[in-house]
Amino acid sequence: MTDDTPDTSRPGRTPGTADEFDRRDALRAVAAVVRGDGIDVDSDSTPARWSVAATHVVAIPGTDRKLKLRFKVAIGPLPDIEADLWGLLTIEEGFGRPQARALGKRVKGACLSSPAIEKAKARIDAWFASMAQRAAGFGESWRPKGFADELGRVVGFGGRIPRLQTLLDALEESFSTAAARSGLKVRRERLENASGMGVYLDSFATARAMIRKLRLFVGPTNSGKTHAAMDRLAETESGCYLAPLRLLALEGQEALETRGRPCSLVTGEERDVRPGAAFTSSTIEMVNTVKVWGACVIDEIQMIGDHDRGWAWTQAVAGVAAPEILMTGSADAIPYVKRLADALGEELEVVEFTRKSPLRVQEERVKLSEVKSGDALIAFSRKDVMALRHDLLGRNHNVAVIYGALSPEVRRAEARRFREGTADVLVATDAIGMGLNLPVARVVLSTTRKYDGREERELNPSEIRQIGGRAGRFGMHEEGRVAVLEGESINPVRRALTSPPVPPEDPRSWISPNLSHVEAIARELETDSLAKVLRTAGQELLRANQTFRMTDLEQRIQAATAVDRARLPLAERDMLARCPIDTRDQNNLRLLGGWATNQGRGIPNAAPDAAERFRHHVGTDVELEKAERAVKELTAYAWLAYRFPDAYPEMDLCQERRAHLNAFIERTLAERSLARACPVCGARLKANHRFRVCDSCYGSRVEHRRDGHRDGRRGPPDRTGGSVPAPAPAHGGGTADANGKAAGHPHQFHHPVGKDGRKAGPPNRARGRRP
């Protein structure tokens, strides 16, 4: 073998034969010959794959500049070269420099004449044409010379020659960055114009065609403002009353009928249509903006500032077709309504009401032993409500409870117990702030902080005024008093009740995309994904609007993600995504997704059957929580059944089961002693049992934990054969808070219970520790 020949003399090699090592050496020798022409080879692949460096000069649209681009084009395998290479490796004289040069010429000819080069240049030209077309949509916002400078920096690649796709990716990334800087405003304006959200008020054609008068009745709770508005409504020939809660809608129906006006009731999951009735009482999301009314009452107008539901009040104020719009609520609403009235170009009259019975701050803190008949204790989670109930029952009080996880029927029943004197004390969350007229003498806040679904924070003055205002019902008590439990500060209460409302930093009203907006955005984005449409709307629209801002769409996006997999039209998926479920609960999302999938396949959905497990008279604390969750599932089913009766055909059975569960919950809450059960296995616990779970489940958990430590796992195996984190103590006593929000898993709770029935925190050395 000569000096010009690759080293193929290895031990055990048979003369006249070649192997993969010989092939790679030969390929490297050929590549060395053509490297000056920009040709390279991947010798490790079989067959070998060749690539060539190419250059292409392009003119940057909108400028007089040209750009020289360098990139690698993948030519791929050259079968003829590969075959001849193996033949040359087996000749007697071996593979040397002459053979490498001869093959190099052939490789050069094949690579430089490959049609792949022209195709690559065509792809670059197509990208620049696309870029020019997209940039044209930005109008004067686009700066082509600045973009040309940016491209010059991007395509240098530090002296390296990139592959074609890498070059195209870099070009697209640079354009996207430039577009984000100079064209995002244009994109947002285009989306707003295409969706109609930029001209939101124009979507209510009937209301815009009328001359309307806006009247705002503001004042504290128990000032008679709603009563005055209902009197005015009853004087008209037709009208509607819009409320934030089904309970208030029921009261509105009753209020109109006591004034001699037959009134229908319409809520998300209920229809009580009275023949010939010219009046309708409904929850505010069910507002009819097409029908012409004689007048409309919009209650609790201060909710227009709520980032979750405020859009419904904006829609009602802007869209109800009635010559007179009467709004009732607290003075916190004035800045929002004034800004909206200016945008509408309509006259606004503000009428102020004063409280009929005085409300004063009780400076002395209230001990739990000092709670007396007619008091309402306020907590902000289901766990705290039930703990206070337990404590007060132990002090010989009869207690009614109201919290968000209870259905409207049960809340009303509990309010009736308190109103009629069957229960002398009420323990409630801020759910009593709206929709319940109660004979409360004194409101006692157990805390001045709450978790609002995002963070734990201080109660704002509006919330304190709304809750505290429930004290001192006119005609029942001479005055109302607001106090705090022992250990809490009265200062936030004093400030809220003695200071005027503070104007909001941003008085723009919240709005939410309706179906026409959703469909228009989907067309503009050329997508069928509801989640993408809503996410785009939430992130990009109304950023610079002076009147409106986009509501928080996160829960709707979560529901949309669950139903997007179903084979359903966009309109049906949008309706499903509005279903009243707790989107923070993965079980609820799975349930909604399953219903949607069945609906898309034409399979009728059966009503949830959890009610069948509650056929006994009263339940335990664990069963109470499960029954509350089952009611919510049935409520969601009923909501969907009204909109898609063929897909959810068991409405009667659903309402029957819902009524059965509500009765079970009412009976359980009316019991003086709520039986305790293990949340893991459901076994009954003795009243004085010191721990959250039973001894058997605790022992099993400890054993699983030991096994987990021995084999390296973090916790006990779950039912699917995986593992779950080892249980840890948590400061809670249930799986849902007052608003049905998911809390800790029941396996996490194992706190001892003190003599007063409340959990005493994790065990420590002073209290003793279980083995």
Side-chain angles (χ1 to χ4, degrees), residues 130-161:
S130 169
M131 181 273 291
Q133 185 177 7
R134 287 181 287 168
F138 298 135
E140 295 181 357
S141 297
W142 181 246
R143 299 288 184 266
K145 291 184 178 179
F147 181 57
D149 293 337
E150 180 69 18
L151 282 184
R153 290 189 292 270
V154 166
V155 301
F157 284 96
R160 296 178 294 106
I161 302 178

Side-chain angles (χ1 to χ4, degrees), residues 307-444:
H307 53 74
D308 284 324
R309 296 184 65 200
W311 64 269
W313 277 260
T314 304
Q315 174 182 261
V317 174
V320 172
E324 185 174 21
I325 307 295
L326 299 137
M327 296 162 279
T328 66
S330 72
D332 299 274
I334 293 176
Y336 296 100
V337 177
K338 280 187 174 180
R339 173 74 71 96
L340 183 54
D342 290 342
L344 290 164
E346 295 177 337
E347 181 184 356
L348 172 65
E349 177 188 2
V350 179
V351 182
E352 295 187 8
F353 287 71
T354 57
R355 186 178 168 90
K356 292 185 176 182
S357 58
L359 183 69
R360 76 175 179 88
V361 178
Q362 178 179 315
E363 296 290 341
E364 304 82 15
R365 278 69 163 174
V366 178
K367 296 179 180 179
L368 207 59
S369 59
E370 297 171 345
V371 171
K372 56 188 178 181
S373 179
D375 283 351
L377 271 68
I378 308 301
F380 296 95
S381 73
R382 181 189 185 280
K383 171 180 71 70
D384 290 341
V385 166
M386 298 308 286
L388 286 169
R389 174 187 183 274
H390 182 276
D391 293 346
L392 291 168
L393 287 173
R395 289 173 168 81
N396 295 319
H397 287 286
N398 289 317
V399 183
V401 295
I402 295 173
Y403 47 90
L406 296 177
S407 68
E409 293 85 356
V410 177
R411 287 192 229 177
R412 205 175 195 197
E414 289 293 289
R416 187 184 307 113
R417 290 178 57 221
F418 181 69
R419 191 181 300 115
E420 295 175 353
T422 306
D424 64 309
V425 174
L426 175 68
V427 180
T429 64
D430 47 354
I432 71 161
M434 291 183 292
L436 291 168
N437 292 319
L438 298 163
V440 175
R442 178 174 63 176
V443 166
V444 181

Side-chain angles (χ1 to χ4, degrees), residues 380-382 403-406 411 429 581-585 588 625 628-629 632 735-743:
F380 296 95
S381 73
R382 181 189 185 280
Y403 47 90
L406 296 177
R411 287 192 229 177
T429 64
I581 64 166
D582 184 358
T583 57
R584 291 158 298 188
D585 187 337
N588 282 353
E625 288 188 62
E628 291 165 4
R629 289 195 293 271
K632 287 190 173 184
T735 57
D737 67 7
N739 299 310
K741 301 168 186 171

Side-chain angles (χ1 to χ4, degrees), residues 366-567:
V366 178
K367 296 179 180 179
L368 207 59
S369 59
E370 297 171 345
V371 171
K372 56 188 178 181
S373 179
D375 283 351
L377 271 68
I378 308 301
F380 296 95
S381 73
R382 181 189 185 280
K383 171 180 71 70
D384 290 341
V385 166
M386 298 308 286
L388 286 169
R389 174 187 183 274
H390 182 276
D391 293 346
L392 291 168
L393 287 173
R395 289 173 168 81
N396 295 319
H397 287 286
N398 289 317
V399 183
V401 295
I402 295 173
Y403 47 90
L406 296 177
S407 68
E409 293 85 356
V410 177
R411 287 192 229 177
R412 205 175 195 197
E414 289 293 289
R416 187 184 307 113
R417 290 178 57 221
F418 181 69
R419 191 181 300 115
E420 295 175 353
T422 306
D424 64 309
V425 174
L426 175 68
V427 180
T429 64
D430 47 354
I432 71 161
M434 291 183 292
L436 291 168
N437 292 319
L438 298 163
V440 175
R442 178 174 63 176
V443 166
V444 181
L445 296 172
S446 67
T447 178
T448 56
R449 296 181 63 82
K450 68 177 288 188
Y451 179 73
D452 62 5
R454 293 172 175 81
E455 62 181 354
E456 184 174 319
R457 59 169 175 80
E458 295 287 341
L459 294 175
N460 61 54
S462 176
E463 291 169 330
I464 293 176
R465 287 192 292 269
Q466 189 73 23
I467 298 167
R470 293 293 158 183
R473 196 70 191 171
F474 180 67
M476 297 181 183
H477 303 285
E478 292 184 2
E479 68 173 7
R481 286 172 294 156
V482 185
V484 295
L485 271 185
E486 187 177 30
E488 292 294 321
S489 172
I490 195 65
N491 293 336
V493 177
R494 188 191 308 110
R495 286 194 298 267
L497 298 183
T498 58
S499 303
V502 177
E505 294 181 2
D506 188 348
R508 292 180 298 164
S509 299
W510 301 96
I511 62 175
S512 179
N514 59 31
L515 177 59
S516 64
H517 301 140
V518 166
E519 291 178 333
I521 296 171
R523 287 192 297 270
E524 183 67 21
L525 296 177
E526 298 181 351
T527 182
D528 189 53
S529 168
L530 176 61
K532 181 177 180 180
V533 168
L534 295 176
R535 192 171 289 110
T536 300
Q539 292 175 350
E540 298 192 21
L541 300 190
L542 305 178
R543 292 301 181 91
N545 195 285
Q546 296 302 301
T547 306
F548 303 114
R549 47 184 167 161
M550 187 64 67
T551 191
D552 186 346
L553 295 173
E554 187 55 36
Q555 292 189 38
R556 196 167 154 194
I557 291 170
Q558 293 296 322
T561 303
V563 302
D564 259 343
R565 304 182 185 93
R567 296 178 181 177

Side-chain angles (χ1 to χ4, degrees), residues 707-719:
D707 293 343
H709 285 312
R710 280 197 292 267
D711 63 14
R713 287 185 285 108
R714 292 180 56 215
D718 63 14
R719 295 180 180 178

